[in-house]
Amino acid sequence: MRYVDVQISRETKPISEKGFGLPLLLATSKAIDYKEYTGIESVAEDFEETTNEYKLLSRMFGQNPRPTEIAVFGVAYNSATAEPTALISSLNELIKTHNDFYYVVSPEQGDEEITALAEWTNTKDKIYGATTSNVELAEKLRGLYDNAFLVVHDQPNTYVAEGLIGVCAPKKIGAYTWTFKNVQGVPAVKYDNTMINRIHAANASTYINEAGLLLNSKGVATSGEFIDVIQATHYLKARMAESVFRLLALRDKVPGTDTGIGLAVAEVESVLASTVENTTTGEGIIARDDAGNPMYTITFPRRKDIPKNTLAQRILPDIQWTATIAGAFEKVQIRGVLTV
């Protein structure tokens, strides 16, 4: 138009959000470039049915619900001649180009390999699960790692820990615990109560038949913390970082004033509010009090309270929050008295 010039620019490209549903299988029977599979049918194109990789992926894809995709990356590895550091080196190279996966599994079930992968995962905001028949390994790792969990089973090639990841990966974080989950195709262990109690004392779980139901007996990391609590920490950290970065990147300017502080605090509160318990479904990371109010608080400085040198560096410090996690009940105590 001659007299009115209208130009519209689009700034709608979303900031990438970290996914929490993608597992990665670190294959060891052969080297293979990073690839994502949507079902066991496509796995057969790269792995024979006799391989441990195929069996493990079959367990994960055989669950209901199951992951929509599972990533695979492979390195040729022989546990009899190679050191577990080779696995770690390959993962360190992988995350330079592909770091969107959240769960880590591998067909390697040796003590040294499991320990190395647990240690590596503990430095990342990811979850590693492994199946072992060695309760002594669980006792050795007890108290060490927040981001790794072990399932002790007398048939470790049933890949029950990996199957658990297959069951839980599609679910929304904050909506479930890892205890009581059924893994299709896995038999119950033949352990007695003494052995099961020993496994639990080692901050590991096993797979049992309880009142006719096959289920995972405990949902804890080797540190002793519940896996869903660790996941909540990872989720809140990622979403807050994304939200505040989106604020900084997509606005022309976040002013170094109380107004700008308020904008940043609003992003933090938005993430917290989005994870508050839904009283209808029970979903949610953060609890509500007796009056139904979200149980979190946020504190932050005013501009006048921020040191001038910090302002000069354009740093907004000391936004702090505290939240009460909703958690879950996994044991119920009932006491009753019958009278005549």
Side-chain angles (χ1 to χ4, degrees):
M1 186 175 180
R2 183 183 302 274
Y3 298 106
V4 178
D5 183 9
V6 178
Q7 297 183 10
I8 300 175
S9 62
R10 291 181 297 169
E11 296 183 357
T12 57
K13 184 178 180 179
I15 302 297
S16 176
E17 291 191 347
K18 176 180 174 65
F20 286 89
L22 180 64
L24 172 80
L25 166 68
L26 178 62
T28 55
S29 65
K30 65 179 180 180
I32 183 171
D33 291 336
Y34 180 92
K35 185 175 181 179
E36 294 178 2
Y37 298 89
T38 57
I40 194 62
E41 299 78 15
S42 56
V43 172
E45 299 173 5
D46 296 312
F47 295 97
E48 297 290 337
E49 293 185 10
T50 55
T51 63
N52 289 330
E53 284 86 355
Y54 184 92
K55 295 173 183 177
L56 191 157
L57 290 169
S58 179
R59 177 70 65 223
M60 296 181 74
F61 276 127
Q63 303 310 309
N64 184 23
R66 67 174 181 86
T68 56
E69 293 180 322
I70 299 176
V72 173
F73 174 71
V75 56
Y77 177 82
N78 185 338
S79 60
T81 58
E83 294 294 327
T85 51
L87 301 177
I88 304 309
S89 296
S90 66
L91 286 172
N92 286 333
E93 285 300 312
L94 175 66
I95 61 175
K96 293 178 181 178
T97 54
H98 296 89
N99 197 26
D100 289 337
F101 60 92
Y102 181 57
Y103 299 99
V104 179
V105 297
S106 176
E108 293 299 322
Q109 295 181 324
D111 289 3
E112 292 184 359
E113 286 76 15
I114 288 175
T115 301
L117 290 170
E119 185 172 327
W120 181 83
T121 311
N122 207 53
T123 65
K124 312 294 186 291
D125 289 338
K126 303 181 187 298
I127 297 292
Y128 167 61
T131 308
T132 179
S133 59
N134 187 6
V135 67
E136 287 83 5
L137 174 63
E139 291 169 336
K140 178 181 176 182
L141 300 186
R142 178 176 52 201
L144 294 184
Y145 304 119
D146 273 337
N147 295 4
F149 73 92
L150 295 182
V151 179
V152 181
H153 200 291
D154 50 15
Q155 300 179 53
N157 287 338
T158 57
Y159 298 113
V160 59
E162 296 78 2
L164 273 170
I165 289 176
V167 171
C168 293
K171 298 177 181 291
K172 182 179 179 182
I173 289 178
Y176 65 95
T177 71
W178 291 68
T179 310
F180 308 124
K181 295 297 178 287
N182 171 263
V183 182
Q184 294 186 26
V186 175
V189 294
K190 299 176 182 178
Y191 299 147
D192 59 20
N193 284 335
T194 299
M195 181 61 165
I196 293 172
N197 290 338
R198 181 182 175 186
I199 292 168
H200 288 175
N203 294 338
S205 67
T206 189
Y207 197 68
I208 61 176
N209 185 324
E210 187 76 10
L213 296 177
L214 295 175
L215 51 87
N216 181 47
S217 64
K218 199 170 185 181
V220 296
T222 65
S223 66
E225 183 58 90
F226 287 99
I227 303 170
D228 57 293
V229 174
I230 303 300
Q231 290 180 293
T233 303
H234 294 166
Y235 183 88
L236 289 168
K237 178 182 177 181
R239 292 294 177 257
M240 284 184 186
E242 292 160 358
S243 294
V244 175
F245 175 72
R246 184 181 292 109
L247 170 72
L248 296 172
L250 299 185
R251 288 182 66 96
D252 286 337
K253 174 183 176 180
V254 177
T257 63
D258 286 343
T259 297
I261 295 170
L263 291 172
V265 171
E267 295 295 333
V268 173
E269 181 162 20
S270 176
V271 172
L272 292 173
S274 72
T275 65
V276 173
E277 173 197 13
N278 183 315
T279 55
T280 300
T281 64
E283 294 182 1
I285 294 171
I286 297 174
R288 295 179 182 272
D289 64 18
D290 292 342
N293 300 311
M295 297 179 68
Y296 66 80
T297 58
I298 307 173
T299 60
F300 53 90
R302 305 298 294 269
R303 176 189 166 93
K304 64 182 178 61
D305 299 320
I306 299 175
K308 290 184 178 180
N309 185 53
T310 303
L311 287 171
Q313 297 178 65
R314 300 194 169 187
I315 296 173
L316 170 53
D318 298 330
I319 296 178
Q320 301 182 24
W321 58 269
T322 301
T324 300
I325 195 164
F329 292 121
E330 295 188 357
K331 186 174 182 179
V332 178
Q333 296 179 337
I334 301 172
R335 303 291 184 266
V337 177
L338 288 176
T339 63
V340 176

